[in-house]
């Protein structure tokens, strides 16, 4: 399979006229990213996913279409747009592949955002333009081998050593870590407070081995972060935040983008299933003429439309600075869940062909198995909603 043989036939689906709620800038940003995905991602993604290889050459193109930190001010390397523009860009990227959206989510929301929000001016100037242009690749280290859903239990730590901190510990499941130039790492200080540090790839004692054997997000590279007495200059500490709210604040940004992104994967599955149902015949009829196929398609577009409205409303709240972490959790959980369900239904409509790389369905379905787990699992987000409505914490 090469670039010239894989054509992307995707057509836009907007059942409730949500485009009318978008500004011209939103539509321009969306169309630019959609065109880029059609030209640069769709022709190659199946091949990269098959080979479990990350198309790292796309980092530059992602930067050029404004996918890194769309809502971070332009003078700090971002796009200077609003939260809806950010969301809609993530939707178009994930329409292509969740792994491509992951590359952008991590770079923009989990690396640029904490440096912008919690860093000092010197750190912002040093790192953000290079991250925004794709010259530097970043990763975000929160999860540890024994602390996933409960990051507050982390054991990675820093100890004061004059003009530096000595960093020890390990992080697990880190998107982009093997190819990253810098890592934003969360570690406990000697008082047990969680602090953020910028760790550079050449620092002695730091390594980032790749995790192999994933059946999901195969076109995204994932690895560990291992710190063995790494001397990190004190000037690399993010000075303006301490405590778990630092990393969780970044997660709120990224989860918001995933809520939009997952709708993109759902749209691609629906689009493919709808087209297939009008082409494929059995028993002398198009598949789309059978009631059971129509039930699947009607339910898909209903759930997509609900998810689009949830994302749009969340975006307007985010633009006003009013989107709460619990509202973001609800949208992330719902939209990823419906996307996964839609992928499974779309796979059925494609019959045997649905399991092949000829169609994007299995790739989306397998990707979404990670998306439903990372950035807070499906059940963790349910517990966040449960705690928000009852006031009782059911985590511990
Ligand atoms: P808790 O006591 O509830 O909160 C500690 C402090 O944080 C504040 N806070 C938040 N702030 C901003 N955004 C949020 N979403 C926040 N959630 C909580 C909170 O107000 C409090 O502040 P303060 O001032 O009182 O200190 O913390 P907890 O230890 O009880 O944990 C709660 C829990 C379970 C919800 C949290 O730990 C959690 O969300 N766990 C899930 C872990 C997770 O999502 N990990 C993601 C790792 S990164 C990743 O997956 C990247 S994938 C990227 C890609 O490829 O796209
Ligand atoms: P666990 O926390 O062990 O959970 C296992 C199961 O137990 C889940 O079903 C969970 O819902 C359930 N569970 C846990 N606690 C409770 C509870 N209190 N009540 C009820 N059920 C519970 N992390 C990063 O820091 N940076 C990254 O860039 C990153 N990228 C990732 C990329 C991929 C491809 C993947 C798969 C993960 C990535 N992660 C990253 C890690 C991800 O955030 C974690 O996998 C996720 O938070 C869950 O942690 P865990 O895998 O340790 O599962």
């Amino acid at each position: 399979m090469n670039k010239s043989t894989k054509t992307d036939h995707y057509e836009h689906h907007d059942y409730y006229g949500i485009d009318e709620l978008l500004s011209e800038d939103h539509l321009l940003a969306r169309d630019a990213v959609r065109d880029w995905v059609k030209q640069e991602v769709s022709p190659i993604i199946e091949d990269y996913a098959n080979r479990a290889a990350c198309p790292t050459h796309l980092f530059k193109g992602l930067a050029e279409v404004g996918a890194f930190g769309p809502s971070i001010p332009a003078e700090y390397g971002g796009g200077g747009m609003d939260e809806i523009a950010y969301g809609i860009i993530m939707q178009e990227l994930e329409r292509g592949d969740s792994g491509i959206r992951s590359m952008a989510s991590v770079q923009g929301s989990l690396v640029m955002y904490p440096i912008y929000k919690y860093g000092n001016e010197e750190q912002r100037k040093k790192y953000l333009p290079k991250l925004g242009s794709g010259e530097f690749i970043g990763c975000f280290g929160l999860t540890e081998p024994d602390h996933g859903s409960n990051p507050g239990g982390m054991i990675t730590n820093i100890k004061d050593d004059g003009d530096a901190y000595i960093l020890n510990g390990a992080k697990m499941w880190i998107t982009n870590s093997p190819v990253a130039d810098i890592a934003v790492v969360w570690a406990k200080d000697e008082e047990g407070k969680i602090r953020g540090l910028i760790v550079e790839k050449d620092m002695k004692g730091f390594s980032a081995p790749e995790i192999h054997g994933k059946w999901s997000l195969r076109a995204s590279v994932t690895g560990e972060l291992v710190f063995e007495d790494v001397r990190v200059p004190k000037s690399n500490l993010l000075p303006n935040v301490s405590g778990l709210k630092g990393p969780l604040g970044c997660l709120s940004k990224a989860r918001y983008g995933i809520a939009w992104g997952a709708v993109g994967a759902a749209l691609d599955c629906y689009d493919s299933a709808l087209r297939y149902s009008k082409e494929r015949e059995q028993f002398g009829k198009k598949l789309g003429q059978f009631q059971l196929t129509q039930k699947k398609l009607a339910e898909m577009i209903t759930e997509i439309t609900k998810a689009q409205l949830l994302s749009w409303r969340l975006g307007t709240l985010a633009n006003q600075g009013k989107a709460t972490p619990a509202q973001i959790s609800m949208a992330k959980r719902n939209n990823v869940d419906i996307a996964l369900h839609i992928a499974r239904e779309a796979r059925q409509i494609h019959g045997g062909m649905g399991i092949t790389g000829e169609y994007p369905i299995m790739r989306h379905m397998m990707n979404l198995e990670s998306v439903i787990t990372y950035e807070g699992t499906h059940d963790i987000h349910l517990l966040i909603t449960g705690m928000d409505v009852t006031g009782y914490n059911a985590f511990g």
Side-chain angles (χ1 to χ4, degrees):
M1 189 184 318
N2 64 38
K3 194 167 167 165
S4 57
T5 57
K6 194 91 184 165
T7 308
D8 182 346
H9 297 288
Y10 179 74
E11 285 170 25
H12 184 45
H13 302 281
D14 179 23
Y15 201 73
Y16 257 40
I18 295 167
D19 279 3
E20 290 170 29
L21 301 171
L22 303 176
S23 70
E24 201 168 321
D25 282 351
H26 297 147
L27 296 173
L28 281 172
R30 185 190 65 194
D31 292 349
V33 178
R34 182 173 298 164
D35 288 349
W36 180 79
V37 166
K38 281 197 171 202
Q39 282 161 27
E40 303 297 331
V41 178
S42 304
I44 62 161
I45 194 66
E46 211 70 54
D47 176 45
Y48 274 83
N50 252 329
R51 292 188 284 111
C54 178
T56 49
H57 66 280
L58 294 180
F59 272 103
K60 282 275 176 207
L62 281 164
E64 280 159 22
V65 293
F68 296 154
S71 57
I72 290 174
E75 69 260 39
Y76 291 113
M81 292 185 281
D82 70 1
E83 298 298 336
I84 291 184
Y86 162 42
I88 214 150
I89 288 173
M90 295 304 121
Q91 187 170 107
E92 289 306 317
L93 292 179
E94 195 146 2
R95 209 278 301 165
D97 189 79
S98 303
I100 304 300
R101 196 267 309 133
S102 257
M103 287 158 86
S105 293
V106 170
Q107 183 91 345
S109 298
L110 297 181
V111 181
M112 291 173 69
Y113 177 76
I115 295 174
Y116 166 66
K117 186 82 178 168
Y118 310 136
N120 57 33
E121 202 53 23
E122 201 183 324
Q123 293 165 339
R124 289 168 160 190
K125 285 196 176 126
K126 180 171 176 190
Y127 296 107
L128 292 180
K130 287 187 174 151
L131 289 161
S133 68
E135 186 184 337
F136 270 13
I137 297 173
C139 68
F140 175 89
L142 178 64
T143 306
E144 299 189 351
D146 294 330
H147 300 95
S149 297
N150 177 26
M154 70 173 66
I155 53 175
T156 297
N157 63 85
I158 47 171
K159 290 199 168 47
D160 199 312
D161 188 37
D163 59 354
Y165 294 105
I166 305 298
L167 172 66
N168 276 292
K171 299 288 177 180
M172 179 79 175
W173 294 117
I174 308 303
T175 300
N176 293 344
S177 79
V179 297
D181 300 285
I182 64 165
V184 169
V185 176
W186 301 93
K188 281 186 179 159
D189 68 12
E190 284 157 286
E191 291 170 22
K193 285 196 191 124
I194 294 174
R195 304 301 307 260
L197 300 117
I198 304 166
V199 180
E200 299 183 8
K201 74 172 175 194
D202 295 331
M203 288 178 177
K204 198 160 165 270
F206 173 35
S207 59
E210 185 170 349
I211 295 171
H212 294 283
K214 290 184 296 156
W215 283 106
S216 173
L217 286 184
R218 288 172 63 81
S220 164
V221 59
T222 316
E224 299 171 46
L225 298 173
V226 182
F227 313 107
E228 290 169 329
D229 289 329
V230 183
R231 245 183 105 76
V232 183
K234 281 193 171 162
S235 56
N236 282 32
L237 182 86
L238 297 174
N240 299 325
V241 79
S242 131
L244 195 55
K245 65 176 182 290
L248 289 179
C250 308
L251 295 185
S252 278
K253 265 272 179 211
R255 290 167 177 174
Y256 167 83
I258 292 173
W260 282 83
V263 181
L267 278 164
D268 204 41
C269 292
Y270 169 74
D271 178 76
S272 184
L274 181 62
R275 191 171 313 103
Y276 195 77
S277 78
K278 292 177 182 179
E279 289 166 3
R280 172 83 173 162
E281 288 185 8
Q282 286 295 293
F283 300 96
K285 279 182 172 179
K286 305 280 186 203
L287 295 183
Q289 291 179 283
F290 297 118
Q291 283 185 347
L292 285 176
T293 310
Q294 290 192 6
K295 177 175 187 291
K296 288 185 176 68
L297 291 167
E299 287 177 351
M300 283 182 200
I301 193 63
T302 305
E303 290 308 318
I304 286 170
T305 303
K306 283 153 67 179
Q308 284 172 323
L309 287 166
L310 203 56
S311 305
W312 177 81
R313 175 63 187 150
L314 189 66
T316 60
L317 289 171
N319 276 344
Q320 296 160 12
K322 292 199 305 201
T324 66
Q327 286 171 330
I328 294 170
S329 282
M330 180 186 280
K332 191 268 183 184
R333 178 175 185 273
N334 180 76
N335 293 4
V336 177
D337 191 47
I338 66 106
L340 194 46
H341 186 69
I342 285 168
R344 289 176 182 146
E345 294 289 274
R347 217 288 303 146
Q348 298 229 46
I349 289 177
H350 286 77
M353 287 308 290
I355 70 157
T356 71
E358 193 63 27
Y359 296 91
I361 315 295
M362 276 301 277
R363 180 169 46 79
H364 282 307
M365 193 196 299
M366 294 194 299
N367 284 343
L368 288 163
E369 289 292 344
S370 284
V371 182
I372 204 164
T373 289
Y374 69 30
E375 297 275 6
T377 68
H378 187 65
D379 285 346
I380 289 295
H381 289 297
L382 176 126
L383 293 174
I384 291 172
T385 306
M387 182 166 75
D388 197 46
V389 297
T390 65
Y392 302 124
N393 178 339
F395 290 107

